[in-house]
């Protein structure tokens, strides 16, 4: 393919000069000025910011981007050479790929044959370069007076102790360990300990129910479960050990027994004496891990050996085990972190995401530590003991880079230390972007509004803070090595200003390699719709200047505060309620969570609507999946709009849920068009 053809989606970047010029006259705003509401504002980094930025101009970005597309082997090989490899990869085969299902099995490999270890690169390599005494982790507990910290050397010692314990208890390279921990320091410690010995970690968000945890145990058959007895989230105590016990009991009844449950005593939430215990299986972390040696040999692994499994909701009820491998993921997360946040050695970095999600893997643990960064971890919730908690933490630790879902309330705190803001979760709309820019960042901090997914491993479309002007609400341009394309329903690439399905052609190092134990589902879900491309499942518009605007999911997955939840998963939980005959779930815009969950419920014949029943249905979802998946709205539905073939017309349900009643479109294909009027009449009941 001709170079100009491959790069056409950023050709318009060439017209964006870093100095004064015609584009700066188009309602441009320089950092430090307040941003008004005009849609066509361009927000430029200040000259001072750009001068000090790692990528300081559109021209520098374009040169690097073009090389990353035209010579991916050379581009990524040069970057990878900055990390430690026990053995270099085959220089003649930096990567191999087939994204076209019509030409055989989908396959992606990067740095195959290269031997390395991501834990070594996160910790040992930083210590060897003189950063042993630098703070790696600041930890802030749920209560404001509870905190802690670890230097890189101290963190390595803790990681080695746990790694030795795991090895002493039979965990070997390739074995899976499930981690069900809250945001305490032991969570990244456990991830790194697994990586050090070549074990595959699967972190499960410590808010998932016993049933969800059980499903994951059944799928990946872990050697060991690691948890803590409880956690405080605000004033609420969550008994994590009880949830684990229920999940392990159900798993053993279904033929999968986990022989060891290592439990950390989180004494601020629950004392040992109050924790239920199963002798022979359960063991206290504090009784055994501190006794282990602080030196642990590294298990060197191939670049394509598995690093972790992370389960994400799918369009069917069964969670998908997204599998990431070591070498490419390591290089990609480190590089995206460095450039998207313009990282400097003096920065203090805080990402508010939980390590139970991909953001916590790539941008709490691995990406930052691979760059030798100082990372803040926070155990609690953003509004405890009051709504200023996050800003108190920003001021306390002098946070310079803050990566969060931009829905937090700003109060009396200075936030003067902030240098760069990042937005995670749903793409933020222009008004939320302006609020984040004007209020949180005092009109002086660039915003990295990042688009990426669990499956991509790292940022795919994201601003580089010093490189180019931003547009409020746009994820801007692709990261190095990423070729986003917008296609129509037939899979034809659309040029210029357009809207359609967002796909990626050609692979990138951070791409996931398969769905655990189900490569066929991997191919069907991501590659069959548009052969030759990775299909993101998202819609996207590209404007006349080449900027990308994400328009949300085009399949049945809802993104709630950055948590991807399959509608089928929520629906199956709802219909398990004895009085629910049928359920259909859609996503609606939510000013705090990005998307909210809106459930249409058909009850068993003869059962009356009631507030108690509404609460009972929400409770079923909370207990089966977790509180984060609870429906925001229950809409009573005597029947659902279906085609004659029985397919639920979700398009119509979305319009009713968002009250876009003038946009219902053609309802003539419905088996009973009168259903729509019925639903509208019951909208606020």
């Amino acid at each position: 393919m001709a170079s100009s053809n491959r790069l056409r989606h950023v050709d318009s970047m060439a017209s964006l000069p870093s100095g004064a010029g015609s584009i700066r006259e188009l309602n441009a705003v320089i950092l430090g000025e307040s941003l008004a509401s005009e849609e066509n504002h361009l927000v430029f980094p200040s000259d001072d910011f750009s001068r000090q930025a790692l990528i300081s101009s559109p021209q520098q970005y374009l040169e690097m981007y073009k090389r990353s597309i035209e010579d991916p082997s050379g581009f990524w090989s040069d970057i990878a050479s900055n990390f430690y490899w026990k053995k270099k990869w085959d220089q003649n085969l930096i990567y191999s790929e087939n994204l076209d299902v019509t030409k055989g099995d989908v396959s992606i490999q990067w740095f195959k044959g290269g031997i390395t270890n991501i834990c070594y690169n996160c910790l040992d390599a930083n210590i060897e370069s003189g950063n042993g005494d630098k703070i790696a982790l600041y930890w802030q507990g749920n209560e404001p007076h509870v905190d802690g910290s670890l230097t890189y050397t101290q963190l390595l010692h803790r990681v080695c102790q746990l790694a030795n314990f795991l090895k002493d208890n039979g965990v070997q390279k390739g074995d899976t360990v499930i981690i069900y921990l809250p945001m305490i320091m032991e969570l990244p410690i456990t991830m790194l300990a697994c990586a050090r010995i070549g074990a595959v970690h699967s972190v499960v968000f410590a808010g998932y129910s016993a049933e969800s945890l059980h499903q994951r145990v059944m799928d990946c058959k872990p050697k060991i479960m690691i948890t803590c007895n409880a956690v405080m989230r605000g004033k609420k105590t969550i008994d994590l050990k009880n949830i684990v016990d229920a999940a392990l009991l159900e798993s053993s009844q279904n033929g999968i027994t986990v022989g060891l449950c290592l439990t950390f005593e989180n004494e601020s939430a629950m004392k040992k004496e109050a924790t239920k215990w199963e002798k022979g299986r359960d063991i206290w972390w504090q009784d055994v891990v501190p006794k282990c040696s602080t030196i642990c040999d590294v298990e060197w692994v191939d670049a394509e050996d598995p690093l972790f499994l992370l389960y994400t909701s799918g369009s069917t009820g069964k969670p998908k085990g997204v599998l990431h491998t070591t070498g490419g993921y390591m290089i990609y997360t480190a590089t995206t972190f460095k450039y998207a946040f313009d990282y400097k050695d003096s920065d203090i970095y805080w990402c508010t995401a939980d390590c139970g999600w991909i953001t916590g893997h790539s941008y709490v643990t691995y990406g930052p530590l691979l760059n030798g960064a100082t990372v803040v971890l926070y155990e609690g919730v953003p509004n405890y003991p009051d709504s200023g908690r996050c800003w108190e933490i920003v001021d306390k630790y002098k946070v310079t880079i803050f990566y969060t879902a931009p829905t937090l309330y700003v109060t009396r705190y200075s936030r003067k230390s902030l240098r760069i803001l990042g937005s995670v979760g749903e793409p933020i709309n222009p008004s939320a972007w302006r609020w984040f820019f004007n209020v949180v960042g005092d009109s002086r901090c660039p915003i990295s509004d990042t688009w990426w997914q669990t499956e991509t491993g790292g940022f795919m479309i994201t601003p580089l803070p010093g490189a180019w002007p931003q547009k409020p609400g746009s994820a801007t341009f692709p990261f190095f090595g990423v070729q986003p394309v917008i296609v129509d329903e037939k899979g034809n690439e659309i040029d210029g200003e357009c809207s359609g399905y967002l796909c990626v052609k050609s692979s990138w190092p951070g791409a996931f390699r398969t769905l655990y134990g189900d490569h066929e589902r991997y191919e069907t879900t991501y590659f069959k719709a548009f052969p030759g491309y990775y299909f993101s499942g998202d819609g996207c518009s590209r404007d006349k200047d080449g900027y990308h605007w994400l328009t949300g999911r085009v399949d049945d997955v809802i993104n709630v505060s950055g948590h991807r939840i399959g509608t089928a998963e929520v629906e199956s939980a709802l219909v398990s309620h004895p009085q629910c005959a049928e359920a259909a779930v859609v996503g609606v815009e939510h000013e705090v969570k990005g998307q909210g969950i809106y459930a249409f419920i058909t009850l068993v014949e003869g059962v009356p609507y009631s507030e108690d029943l509404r609460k009972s249905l929400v409770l079923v979802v909370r207990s089966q999946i977790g509180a984060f998946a609870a429906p925001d709205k229950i809409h009573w539905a005597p029947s659902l709009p279906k085609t004659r073939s029985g397919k639920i017309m979700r398009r119509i349900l979305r319009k009713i849920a968002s009250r876009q009643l003038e946009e219902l479109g053609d309802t003539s294909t419905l088996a009973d068009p009168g259903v729509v009027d019925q639903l509208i009449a019951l909208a606020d009941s």
Side-chain angles (χ1 to χ4, degrees), residues 219-221 309 311 318-323 513-522:
D219 194 63
C220 72
K221 303 172 182 59
L309 271 176
Y311 287 87
K318 185 175 182 284
K320 300 175 297 191
V322 170
L323 179 72
R513 304 307 197 242
T514 191
L515 292 176
Y516 182 69
D518 201 345
H519 198 72
E520 184 181 351
R521 188 182 181 194
Y522 167 75

Side-chain angles (χ1 to χ4, degrees), residues 403-418:
Y403 187 34
T404 189
T407 54
L408 305 167
Y409 182 63
V410 185
T411 57
R412 56 193 177 277
Y413 301 91
S414 82
R415 310 179 312 285
K416 289 280 187 258
S417 59
L418 290 174

